[in-house]
Amino acid sequence: MAGDQNGERAQAEHRLEKLRASAPKGPAARERSNGDGLKKNAILDCGWGRLVFGQTFSDQREIANSLREEGPDRRDIAFYVKDPHVLLSHAPQELFLDPSHTYRLDLSTYRPSTRRPRGYFIRRLASEQDATEVNRIYQSRNMVQVHPAFFWTNRDNRALTYFVAEDETTGAILGTVTGVHNRRAFGDPENGSSLWCLAVDPQATHPGIGESLVRRLAEHFQARGCAFMDLSVMHDNDKAIGLYEKLGFVRVSYFTVKRKNEINERLFTGPNADYEGLNPYAQIIVDEARRRGIHCEVVDAAGGFFRLTHGGRTVLCRESLSELTTAVAMSICDDKSVTRRIVEGAGVKVPEQIDGDSDDDAIKAFLEKHGQIVVKPSRGEQGRGISVGIETLDEAKAAIKAAKEQSPQVLLEACFQGDDLRLIVIDYRLVAAALRKPPSVTGDGRASVRELIEHLSRRRSAATGGESKVPLDAETERCVKQAGYAMDDVPAEGERVVVRKTANLHTGGTIHDVTGDIHPALVEAAVAAARAIEIPVTGIDLMIKAPQLPDYVFIEANERPGLANHEPQPTAERFIDLLFPLSMPFSVRAARSQQRKSLKED
């Protein structure tokens, strides 16, 4: 437990340092009063940036000047802009009309839901640790972070309200929403309110978290006599718009204007047809390359192929697989039995293993010795054909048959009880580490296991751009049966059912960053495995007891790891550093050179 706390503290301190330079200065709100009514030129600091209330400005040039004051790594928003064309005319090169819709909920007719949250509850943000967790969710959603101290120092700010969703069992923060009381922010004569920064952890498994947060905020403002609650939502966010319309929101004619910056670049540069169709694993690399001025040519979008050119050097890639990875290294990763022999020779711990074509007596003896085993194809990817927790000869035979659909050679391994850890090693350095957890569903007393799985698959697919869902196949049925259920059984409310034993993202697993909490022995094992294979970019999979402990066994090496799965860790940045070292800023190159020199001297 102490290790967990130290790891969380270290990660929190790291995030705090990154944000310290952009910590809020001065009061949260700035305005000039115009008597007892509407405040003039009202601006509210929300931590991630400022809300500039357009209806409080009589001169559109003053709004433009206010947006010009936007700080680095901030996102200021001019809201309630009635004449955006006039505002844009004052700074056409600096400002843009945000492609979002404004929606309004009439709180006089709003009725709370009779269904309450299940497995989690909504409460006020109550500590700096809550603030750190909110920032973690913001990061996972590519949103601007807020200095943790801002949340805490503004906890009594009557204009700002923060709610979080907390898991009843684990205490984890699952989502967050921010509310603004318009009368307290700028003396709104209409006595309205607004919703901002609704975000749900993409790894959360409970249904309805976003809806519960919206309802809680609406009920909060309704109880305080507010007439309505507004929000701004991207025009193409059909899922969110569907939720808001279901709750009774309707579109209103107010507009949002922002200052052009790197954060919102994609909103004003328009779509680039050359990069449409790339999957998230290719897109994250192409985006980083383009930020550095590296020319990108899409060779085959559907397959994730692209060519990068910079300073006379050209590299062809397929997602994180580049020409720098040799065919020999690829062939080693492709055959799990070869991978095992290579890394074992380098001193990396591997599980005991036998061939899937062994006779029944040998398989029975292997089962008796280890209790549970893993059956997997010698060649394959994305968890296809892998069965975990096999306990009987009949189960083993069925699993071997399924595995042979992926590869003629099948391997049987001792089952190491623990967690699945993926370590991203680039240029023989650890860049990211994440626990991969198998998919599970939580009963609500009404839906069957099958229905819960289908619902989970829809959420996982939406959160990963269609990359993740739980297959309704024989392996899922076996795992559900092993948990004591049939697919059409209805689990009791709060009952958790693990529906797959493998933790692959593509089969519905979730991924949880633990980069700041890894035992050195695990890092050494991953780097040793990468060096043994001589592969410059790889995802090393280990089974571990805990990230803070040295116990592990090697599972496999992936020659094309999904870098997008490890945001906000700088996986794409380090990949481009490897391919094009001269694209790094000079200060970074100098520091890297000095670090290598020190290591050699040691």
Side-chain angles (χ1 to χ4, degrees), residues 335-341 343 349-356 363 366-367 369-378 386-391 396 400 410-417 541-543 553-557:
D335 191 327
K336 294 178 176 62
S337 60
V338 175
T339 314
R340 182 182 185 278
R341 292 197 298 271
V343 302
K349 300 173 191 173
V350 297
E352 189 176 343
Q353 186 181 92
I354 64 172
D355 193 280
I363 295 175
F366 196 66
L367 280 163
K369 179 177 181 180
H370 298 290
Q372 290 187 339
I373 64 171
V374 178
V375 177
K376 61 185 181 181
S378 179
I386 298 177
S387 300
V388 179
I390 298 298
E391 297 178 335
I400 291 169
V410 175
L411 306 173
L412 278 60
E413 284 184 351
C415 189
F416 182 94
Q417 296 298 329
D541 293 341
L542 307 178
M543 291 298 295
V553 293
F554 173 88
I555 301 301
E556 64 181 32

Side-chain angles (χ1 to χ4, degrees), residues 440-457:
S440 64
V441 297
T442 303
D444 60 6
R446 298 186 304 275
S448 68
V449 174
R450 187 188 308 277
E451 291 168 334
L452 292 169
I453 291 174
E454 290 171 346
H455 191 76
L456 174 63
S457 284

Side-chain angles (χ1 to χ4, degrees), residues 245-313:
E245 290 180 342
K246 180 183 108 173
L247 296 179
F249 284 83
V250 295
R251 270 190 69 183
V252 290
S253 298
Y254 294 106
F255 299 95
T256 301
V257 172
K258 297 176 182 175
R259 184 173 179 268
K260 296 177 181 178
N261 59 31
E262 291 182 357
I263 295 170
N264 52 43
E265 181 179 359
R266 66 180 181 84
L267 300 180
F268 60 82
T269 56
N272 191 327
D274 292 340
Y275 305 108
E276 289 180 359
L278 287 174
N279 64 35
Y281 307 114
Q283 189 71 57
I284 188 177
I285 297 169
V286 168
D287 286 346
E288 176 61 25
R290 293 179 66 204
R291 276 192 287 270
R292 300 194 192 190
I294 297 170
H295 176 71
C296 304
E297 175 192 353
V298 176
V299 177
D300 181 67
F305 290 91
F306 53 90
R307 185 178 287 110
L308 304 178
T309 303
H310 182 66
R313 175 183 174 88

Side-chain angles (χ1 to χ4, degrees), residues 206-489:
H206 297 291
I209 296 171
E211 178 178 342
S212 295
L213 285 163
V214 174
R215 286 187 176 279
R216 180 66 183 88
L217 190 63
E219 289 156 22
H220 168 81
F221 285 133
Q222 186 182 53
R224 281 150 185 79
C226 292
F228 55 81
M229 184 171 74
D230 292 344
L231 57 84
S232 180
V233 58
M234 292 302 299
H235 71 98
D236 57 356
N237 192 345
D238 295 335
K239 186 177 179 182
I241 289 172
L243 167 64
Y244 299 140
E245 290 180 342
K246 180 183 108 173
L247 296 179
F249 284 83
V250 295
R251 270 190 69 183
V252 290
S253 298
Y254 294 106
F255 299 95
T256 301
V257 172
K258 297 176 182 175
R259 184 173 179 268
K260 296 177 181 178
N261 59 31
E262 291 182 357
I263 295 170
N264 52 43
E265 181 179 359
R266 66 180 181 84
L267 300 180
F268 60 82
T269 56
N272 191 327
D274 292 340
Y275 305 108
E276 289 180 359
L278 287 174
N279 64 35
Y281 307 114
Q283 189 71 57
I284 188 177
I285 297 169
V286 168
D287 286 346
E288 176 61 25
R290 293 179 66 204
R291 276 192 287 270
R292 300 194 192 190
I294 297 170
H295 176 71
C296 304
E297 175 192 353
V298 176
V299 177
D300 181 67
F305 290 91
F306 53 90
R307 185 178 287 110
L308 304 178
T309 303
H310 182 66
R313 175 183 174 88
T314 297
V315 181
L316 180 65
C317 303
R318 184 182 188 187
E319 299 167 6
S320 64
L321 176 64
S322 76
E323 296 173 0
L324 275 63
T325 296
T326 67
V328 173
M330 272 194 67
S331 67
I332 292 172
C333 293
D334 181 55
D335 191 327
K336 294 178 176 62
S337 60
V338 175
T339 314
R340 182 182 185 278
R341 292 197 298 271
I342 294 291
V343 302
E344 185 179 20
V348 178
K349 300 173 191 173
V350 297
E352 189 176 343
Q353 186 181 92
I354 64 172
D355 193 280
D357 288 329
S358 302
D359 59 40
D360 288 359
D361 290 339
I363 295 175
K364 284 177 67 177
F366 196 66
L367 280 163
E368 289 172 2
K369 179 177 181 180
H370 298 290
Q372 290 187 339
I373 64 171
V374 178
V375 177
K376 61 185 181 181
S378 179
R379 289 185 167 133
E381 59 180 7
Q382 299 181 352
R384 289 190 287 263
I386 298 177
S387 300
V388 179
I390 298 298
E391 297 178 335
T392 68
L393 181 60
D394 288 342
E395 287 181 348
K397 286 182 175 180
I400 291 169
K401 181 180 178 181
K404 285 195 171 185
E405 293 178 3
Q406 304 297 324
S407 170
Q409 184 182 6
V410 175
L411 306 173
L412 278 60
E413 284 184 351
C415 189
F416 182 94
Q417 296 298 329
D419 293 320
D420 186 325
L421 178 71
R422 164 65 62 90
L423 301 108
I424 300 296
V425 178
I426 299 178
D427 199 15
Y428 306 109
R429 293 181 177 85
L430 178 72
V431 178
L435 286 179
R436 301 193 300 174
K437 297 184 179 180
S440 64
V441 297
T442 303
D444 60 6
R446 298 186 304 275
S448 68
V449 174
R450 187 188 308 277
E451 291 168 334
L452 292 169
I453 291 174
E454 290 171 346
H455 191 76
L456 174 63
S457 284
R458 288 194 293 271
R459 294 201 308 276
R460 296 294 299 130
S461 181
T464 60
E467 293 291 327
S468 178
K469 63 180 181 179
V470 182
L472 288 170
D473 58 11
E475 176 61 13
T476 297
E477 290 186 13
R478 185 188 68 82
C479 293
V480 169
K481 182 178 179 182
Q482 198 171 62
Y485 292 90
M487 295 293 285
D488 295 318
D489 287 348

Side-chain angles (χ1 to χ4, degrees), residues 37-321:
L38 188 70
K39 295 173 183 176
K40 185 178 179 182
N41 297 359
I43 297 175
L44 178 69
D45 189 349
C46 298
W48 39 262
R50 303 171 309 156
L51 281 177
V52 179
F53 296 102
Q55 73 271 58
T56 70
F57 287 75
S58 57
D59 189 337
Q60 298 278 3
R61 285 172 296 189
E62 296 236 13
I63 301 179
N65 291 334
S66 295
L67 290 174
R68 286 192 178 108
E69 297 172 0
E70 180 183 72
D73 298 321
R74 300 290 89 183
R75 183 173 61 102
D76 289 356
I77 300 174
F79 195 45
Y80 295 122
V81 177
K82 291 185 177 180
D83 298 315
H85 53 296
V86 179
L87 173 56
L88 293 176
S89 71
H90 293 296
Q93 302 303 318
E94 298 175 71
L95 306 180
F96 72 99
L97 181 63
D98 187 50
S100 58
H101 296 321
T102 300
Y103 275 80
R104 172 168 292 183
L105 178 67
D106 184 346
L107 294 179
S108 67
T109 59
Y110 169 77
R111 295 295 177 264
S113 173
T114 56
R115 293 175 57 183
R116 310 313 301 169
R118 295 176 182 273
Y120 62 94
F121 58 93
I122 310 298
R123 63 168 174 80
R124 292 263 197 157
L125 184 144
S127 68
E128 287 204 35
Q129 181 59 37
D130 284 350
T132 299
E133 286 299 294
V134 166
N135 272 328
R136 176 185 61 78
I137 295 173
Y138 285 173
Q139 278 186 315
S140 72
R141 293 299 190 180
N142 295 317
M143 295 166 64
V144 179
Q145 295 177 74
V146 178
H147 194 288
F150 181 91
F151 287 115
W152 193 240
T153 56
N154 281 276
R155 65 190 183 278
D156 296 325
N157 186 333
R158 299 179 71 198
L160 288 167
T161 299
Y162 304 102
F163 286 112
V164 295
E166 178 180 326
D167 190 289
E168 288 180 351
T169 303
T170 66
I173 300 302
L174 306 175
T176 179
V177 71
T178 301
V180 172
H181 194 300
N182 290 359
R183 175 169 287 176
R184 291 167 178 170
F186 59 90
D188 181 15
E190 295 182 279
N191 196 23
S193 62
S194 56
L195 176 155
W196 300 92
C197 295
L198 176 66
V200 177
D201 188 336
Q203 312 290 357
T205 59
H206 297 291
I209 296 171
E211 178 178 342
S212 295
L213 285 163
V214 174
R215 286 187 176 279
R216 180 66 183 88
L217 190 63
E219 289 156 22
H220 168 81
F221 285 133
Q222 186 182 53
R224 281 150 185 79
C226 292
F228 55 81
M229 184 171 74
D230 292 344
L231 57 84
S232 180
V233 58
M234 292 302 299
H235 71 98
D236 57 356
N237 192 345
D238 295 335
K239 186 177 179 182
I241 289 172
L243 167 64
Y244 299 140
E245 290 180 342
K246 180 183 108 173
L247 296 179
F249 284 83
V250 295
R251 270 190 69 183
V252 290
S253 298
Y254 294 106
F255 299 95
T256 301
V257 172
K258 297 176 182 175
R259 184 173 179 268
K260 296 177 181 178
N261 59 31
E262 291 182 357
I263 295 170
N264 52 43
E265 181 179 359
R266 66 180 181 84
L267 300 180
F268 60 82
T269 56
N272 191 327
D274 292 340
Y275 305 108
E276 289 180 359
L278 287 174
N279 64 35
Y281 307 114
Q283 189 71 57
I284 188 177
I285 297 169
V286 168
D287 286 346
E288 176 61 25
R290 293 179 66 204
R291 276 192 287 270
R292 300 194 192 190
I294 297 170
H295 176 71
C296 304
E297 175 192 353
V298 176
V299 177
D300 181 67
F305 290 91
F306 53 90
R307 185 178 287 110
L308 304 178
T309 303
H310 182 66
R313 175 183 174 88
T314 297
V315 181
L316 180 65
C317 303
R318 184 182 188 187
E319 299 167 6
S320 64
L321 176 64

